[in-house]
Amino acid sequence: MDPTKRSSDKAAQDIISHMGRLGQENAWDRLDRQQPQCGFGRLGVCCRICTMGPCRVDPFGDGPQVGVCGADVDTIVARNFLRAVAAGTSAHSDHARSVAEVFVAAAKGHAPDYGIKDPAKLKKLADELGVETENRTSAEIALEVGQIALSEFGKSEGEQLMTRRAPAPRRAIWRKRGVTPRAIDREVVEALHRSTMGVDQDYGSLLTHASRTALADGWGGAMLASELQDILFGAPTPGRGDVNLGVLKSDEVNIIVHGHEPILSEMVVAAAEDPELLARAKRTGAKGINVAGICCTANELMSRHGVPIAGNFLCQELAIATGAVEMMAVDVQCVMQGLAQIASCYHTKLFTTTAKSRIPGVEHVPMSEGTAMKTAKELVGRAVENYKNRGPVNIPPSKETAVIGFTNESIKYMLGGKFRASYRPLNDNIMNGRIRGLAAIVGCSNPKVELDYTHTTLARELIRRDVLVLTTGCATIACGKQALLNPREALELAGSGLREVCEAVGIAPVLACGSCVDNTRMLVAGSEIVAEGGLGEDLSDLPLAGACLESISEKALAIGQYFVASGVLVVFSKELFPYLGSEKVREYLFAGIEEDFGGRWAVESDPVRAAEIMLAHIERKRDALGINERRERKLYSMEERRVLEVS
Ligand code: SF4
Ligand code: MSK
């Protein structure tokens, strides 16, 4: 197939063509060989929950309308939706649990290679959680904070503590609807229980629990992951780095870290600076050691250390096919099993590092918090040794400069400075209409969609119409590859109002806010924007919308659902939303849920039309806030001014 149909990015096109010439297979080829994909599966109308099945209902013809147990199409689709949300929630939350375990081990002194890098953020979180900080060491505070964080997963009673960050009216809605999340594990377990054969068979009740489960992710596990990572590895600050396959170096040892948890990648970055390993690299003929990231690990590393990004999800196989990668170390999530096959075509050493994520035929080097640096040095050493085995390389020259690393704190700092850090200037500029509203562009890259095309087209369309874009995950990397994270280039594409504000503040109109778990930064930012005043009382009042048009993962669905249940409109691609087979489920997710939570789902595959949906929503919210009304300019007489001053 024509590589320009597979990717809008030239570097990826080059490597896709190169792989085609060599007869090497990638995700696009495997997708082609899966065609035609099951139409029942695409609509979410098949069920294999019990062994009376698998069952499927026929949404179009006169085939069966219920499964063997009698479950109808609404139940089947809603159960599939809930199970996907639960799986996505479990992924983010298990990531958070691993971070919390390392956090506690570091506080106890059992993880000597990790420490508290951001004591100010630790103190702030401790205050929020009611942990005493006076006359205590960082380690003592961290131990108690870490233990509270760990208890959020399995506590037998009480609500998720981070939900306190939400505006009061939002918490009241959750309470009224009975969806305030309890222990994270409990919500996931209950989701699986409810959706097993013969339990919850009311689609509305199943979808309500999907909200509760997703909220345990957004306002629970994922939010804790971002908080604890910031404290352990340092909160990101905006900084420059390079993005795309061109960051690989023809004369250095190239190491790629891929996955999600910074526990591995932070150590690999530090180990690559070890003088002894650098000297060994030089002895093998390399000029140095170059670490680059793929997927969310890439966002984590660039936002904290300026480590270059080689690419997003669909670039993982392409990076190896450059022939220039000595070693790829992976941890959890979004790691394709296909990597093993492509690595076998090259000299690349591929290593799995966590016990919960293994690949047959791939060497496993277990990473544990007690010996993290030792293991990281071993991995880097293996990469250095492997340099001599490198064959011909084919590194596309493309790379772009990006500014990455925006957080709730750093955005406020950029808007107001150190002593007046505040969202006030943002709120004022939304109220006066220079900025029409905010949009979140998040998520993955999917071979069913031309790589990076929808994320970047949507971003261009929104900034052109004066909407400030916040982005995370693989969408961020897509924007980075196409210079949308480069303030100089992106500002040329922005509408005049947005451009004026961004130039005054010194930011790009597309702000890179980190990895998938960092979507929770947007929830916190939204809550603080509400608290700042002038834009309503709740998240659902804000002129704000989200989109994920290249989703692949159940995690994306969990993220979408917690945004919706937090009061936000979320747009997914129609082809990538396999829950459309039930009219009642569609009616609830696209309309009814708005009455319950103020947010809703929409599906649209075309990024320009998706932008229209988001813009219409933003303008509706502005109308409701009364900030679109043109106020007549009134010239006051001296008499009238005196009255005003007195009152
Ligand atoms: Fe079929 Fe019902 Fe079993 Fe699902 S739970 S496989 S619909 S019998
Ligand atoms: S890595 S979940 S493909 S964003 Fe977070 Fe990218 Fe989606 Fe994985």
Side-chain angles (χ1 to χ4, degrees):
M1 198 209 213
D2 177 3
T4 62
K5 299 260 183 329
R6 292 180 164 182
S7 169
S8 61
D9 170 51
K10 175 80 171 64
Q13 289 169 8
D14 289 350
I15 298 295
I16 291 168
S17 301
H18 170 73
M19 293 177 82
R21 285 193 293 276
L22 296 175
Q24 292 165 355
E25 196 177 65
N26 54 39
W28 289 275
D29 301 315
R30 294 191 292 271
L31 175 64
D32 284 348
R33 291 210 277 104
Q34 285 291 332
Q35 299 307 318
Q37 287 179 310
C38 172
F40 294 94
R42 291 174 77 134
L43 290 171
V45 296
C46 49
C47 179
R48 45 182 291 277
I49 282 171
C50 86
T51 55
M52 291 188 285
C55 304
R56 59 193 195 183
V57 299
D58 181 354
F60 305 115
D62 52 5
Q65 295 301 305
V66 293
V68 177
C69 68
D72 62 20
V73 69
D74 309 318
T75 301
I76 290 173
V77 173
R79 282 197 304 219
N80 287 335
F81 185 89
L82 172 58
R83 287 198 160 209
V85 167
T89 299
S90 72
H92 289 145
S93 301
D94 214 31
H95 165 168
R97 191 197 321 263
S98 297
V99 177
E101 283 170 351
V102 171
F103 194 90
V104 167
K108 286 180 175 169
H110 297 167
D113 302 318
Y114 302 94
I116 302 301
K117 292 254 178 69
D118 194 335
K121 189 148 187 172
L122 171 65
K123 183 170 178 315
K124 190 166 169 287
L125 182 61
D127 288 342
E128 271 187 89
L129 297 175
V131 172
E132 184 59 64
T133 56
E134 286 296 307
N135 302 319
R136 297 181 86 189
T137 64
S138 284
E140 287 167 340
I141 300 167
L143 180 57
E144 197 174 334
V145 166
Q147 284 168 334
I148 290 173
L150 273 178
S151 71
E152 288 297 278
F153 295 90
K155 62 189 182 184
S156 55
E157 54 189 36
E159 300 167 344
Q160 281 300 296
L161 297 173
M162 305 306 276
T163 57
R164 294 176 190 161
R165 290 180 165 185
R170 180 64 16 198
R171 283 176 300 175
I173 288 172
W174 292 338
R175 201 149 287 144
K176 183 172 164 204
R177 300 286 165 206
V179 299
T180 308
R182 301 157 295 180
I184 299 159
D185 293 351
R186 178 174 186 169
E187 302 307 357
V188 173
V189 166
E190 187 172 314
L192 295 180
H193 179 202
R194 276 173 182 255
S195 58
T196 198
M197 197 278 288
V199 187
D200 195 349
Q201 285 149 109
D202 177 323
Y203 76 95
S205 163
L206 287 158
L207 294 175
T208 299
H209 192 68
S211 292
R212 192 173 209 176
T213 307
L215 290 170
D217 181 9
W219 296 87
M223 193 174 282
L224 283 171
S226 291
E227 289 289 317
L228 299 183
Q229 287 174 179
D230 284 356
I231 295 168
L232 212 46
F233 308 120
T237 50
R240 281 175 192 279
D242 289 334
V243 183
N244 213 340
L245 291 166
V247 303
L248 297 173
K249 297 195 174 155
S250 59
D251 52 4
E252 294 194 20
V253 174
N254 288 307
I255 292 174
I256 289 200
V257 273
H258 169 26
H260 279 77
E261 297 172 358
I263 294 163
L264 160 76
S265 51
E266 284 277 330
M267 288 299 118
V268 171
V269 169
E273 290 168 2
D274 179 72
E276 209 274 314
L277 285 164
L278 283 165
R280 263 170 65 191
K282 296 231 164 93
R283 285 200 294 278
T284 63
K287 287 201 172 136
I289 302 172
N290 178 40
V291 180
I294 294 263
C295 271
C296 278
T297 284
N299 286 311
E300 301 276 5
L301 287 182
M302 185 183 271
S303 57
R304 293 199 173 88
H305 306 290
V307 168
I309 295 178
N312 40 9
F313 175 75
L314 283 175
C315 299
Q316 56 190 285
E317 293 173 296
L318 309 186
I320 292 178
T322 63
V325 176
E326 272 61 52
M327 190 266 283
M328 182 183 279
V330 302
D331 55 21
V332 291
Q333 301 169 22
C334 304
V335 175
M336 286 194 213
Q337 187 167 350
L339 286 177
Q341 170 61 30
I342 190 68
S344 72
C345 301
Y346 293 89
H347 73 307
T348 307
K349 294 271 181 211
L350 179 63
F351 297 110
T352 54
T353 58
T354 79
K356 58 184 98 157
S357 180
R358 306 278 292 257
I359 300 175
V362 172
E363 186 174 342
H364 185 68
V365 178
M367 187 92 182
S368 83
E369 63 255 22
T371 55
M373 181 52 86
K374 183 167 169 284
T375 309
K377 284 185 178 172
E378 181 194 331
L379 289 168
V380 174
R382 298 280 297 272
V384 168
E385 283 306 303
N386 198 24
Y387 183 72
K388 62 179 182 301
N389 299 320
R390 187 190 276 189
V393 301
N394 180 17
I395 303 172
S398 320
K399 61 181 176 187
E400 287 288 345
T401 301
V403 177
I404 278 187
F406 289 90
T407 60
N408 181 36
E409 294 87 346
S410 65
I411 295 173
K412 279 193 299 185
Y413 169 75
M414 299 212 62
L415 288 167
K418 186 168 182 189
F419 298 107
R420 287 184 295 120
S422 153
Y423 279 113
R424 194 69 255 158
L426 177 67
N427 286 29
D428 287 344
N429 280 296
I430 293 174
M431 290 164 71
N432 68 26
R434 279 196 192 89
I435 297 177
R436 305 305 298 172
L438 306 169
I441 301 182
V442 312
C444 321
S445 42
N446 189 317
K448 293 180 177 175
V449 180
E450 190 181 317
L451 176 61
D452 302 337
Y453 171 74
T454 65
H455 292 315
T456 53
T457 307
L458 179 61
R460 283 194 189 91
E461 205 55 32
L462 290 169
I463 63 173
R464 184 173 76 78
R465 312 275 283 273
D466 293 306
V467 173
L468 180 66
V469 170
L470 310 176
T471 177
T472 59
C474 290
T476 300
I477 300 172
C479 291
K481 284 189 246 174
Q482 300 200 10
L484 288 164
L485 306 180
N486 180 332
R488 194 172 310 148
E489 298 203 28
L491 280 171
E492 294 294 323
L493 308 172
S496 58
L498 178 63
R499 181 176 179 156
E500 192 183 325
V501 177
C502 290
E503 279 176 341
V505 176
I507 53 173
V510 181
L511 301 181
C513 298
S515 66
C516 296
V517 291
D518 293 330
N519 282 306
T520 59
R521 297 189 195 280
M522 300 187 200
L523 299 178
V524 180
S527 302
E528 294 200 12
I529 289 168
V530 169
E532 186 60 48
L535 292 173
E537 304 296 322
D538 191 359
L539 292 165
S540 55
D541 296 332
L542 293 176
L544 161 69
C548 177
L549 302 185
E550 300 186 28
S551 65
I552 52 165
S553 171
E554 292 154 316
K555 292 179 287 174
L557 197 75
I559 292 166
Q561 185 67 9
Y562 71 63
F563 269 104
V564 168
S566 300
V568 181
L569 167 78
V570 173
V571 188
F572 267 41
S573 279
K574 194 171 179 188
E575 286 73 24
L576 308 180
F577 193 81
Y579 309 100
L580 298 174
S582 153
E583 195 181 325
K584 286 183 181 160
V585 169
R586 287 198 307 270
E587 200 286 323
Y588 181 69
L589 293 179
F590 300 155
I593 197 169
E594 195 165 20
E595 281 165 36
D596 289 349
F597 295 105
R600 69 178 171 89
W601 287 90
V603 286
E604 175 53 63
S605 307
D606 178 86
V608 176
R609 285 202 294 269
E612 293 299 339
I613 293 171
M614 295 166 81
L615 284 157
H617 177 82
I618 284 170
E619 291 304 325
R620 254 198 318 277
K621 293 293 173 183
R622 292 183 61 87
D623 286 341
L625 287 166
I627 55 178
N628 272 346
E629 286 164 19
R630 281 184 187 279
R631 296 202 180 100
E632 287 299 317
R633 275 189 75 193
K634 176 165 171 51
L635 294 176
Y636 286 92
S637 68
M638 195 48 78
E639 197 55 33
E640 286 169 319
R641 280 189 204 179
R642 281 199 200 100
V643 173
L644 277 175
E645 274 159 24
V646 171
S647 62

